[in-house]
Amino acid sequence: MTTSVRADTARDLAGTGLSEPDYEVLSTLVERPGTTSTLHEQATKMGWSRSRLSRHASRMESRGLIARAPDPADGRGCLLSLTATGREALRDATPTHLESVRRRFADRLDADDLRDLVRIADRLGDEHGTAAPLGG
């Protein structure tokens, strides 16, 4: 089920010029203070390895969606920052992404289904501690 919904929403999102991983990086980066994060913090927030995020960030940087800079607090690390181009791409893609998730997932569930999902999500919790439970 998850694979099908995710593949379909990724296909819808591709029409905006962003891949699902692009969207995930941009949408989590925009939540950070100053839309800037260390590579390590961003990878942890997304549940990605640092090497995976670093490789993907290089591709996104070449397209002007994000900028990378040395982390002054950690000589081995880097900072990722959302660019104006990245912010515009995210702004343009968000309505498509939300509509796709709604059409392919949320609209197919009734109120009881949604309550069950919240209950299950609350019970499982977020193993990374980066997000509040759905129910509260």
Side-chain angles (χ1 to χ4, degrees), residues 28 32 49 65 71 94 96 99 102:
T28 55
R32 305 296 296 176
S49 70
L65 299 171
D71 181 355
T94 295
T96 298
E99 190 279 328
R102 198 172 15 257

Side-chain angles (χ1 to χ4, degrees), residues 4 11 18 20 25 27 46 48 50 54 80 85 90 94 103 109 120 123-124 129:
S4 174
R11 197 171 15 264
L18 294 179
E20 182 185 22
V25 170
S27 65
M46 294 174 61
W48 286 18
R50 282 182 277 179
S54 182
L80 303 178
T85 300
L90 179 62
T94 295
R103 179 170 37 92
L109 305 175
I120 293 166
R123 179 168 295 166
L124 295 176

Side-chain angles (χ1 to χ4, degrees), residues 6 10 19-25 28 38-40 42-61 66 68 78 80 128:
R6 199 165 188 175
S19 67
E20 182 185 22
D22 292 341
Y23 189 84
E24 186 174 356
V25 170
T28 55
T38 67
L39 180 79
H40 175 74
Q42 189 70 5
T44 299
K45 179 173 179 60
M46 294 174 61
W48 286 18
S49 70
R50 282 182 277 179
S51 62
R52 176 184 179 194
L53 179 56
S54 182
R55 287 189 304 274
H56 195 79
S58 293
R59 292 188 294 273
M60 292 179 73
E61 183 179 31
I66 63 171
R68 291 165 55 133
C78 75
L80 303 178
H128 299 290

Side-chain angles (χ1 to χ4, degrees), residues 24-37:
E24 186 174 356
V25 170
L26 296 176
S27 65
T28 55
L29 194 56
V30 78
E31 297 170 351
R32 305 296 296 176
T35 64
T36 298
S37 179

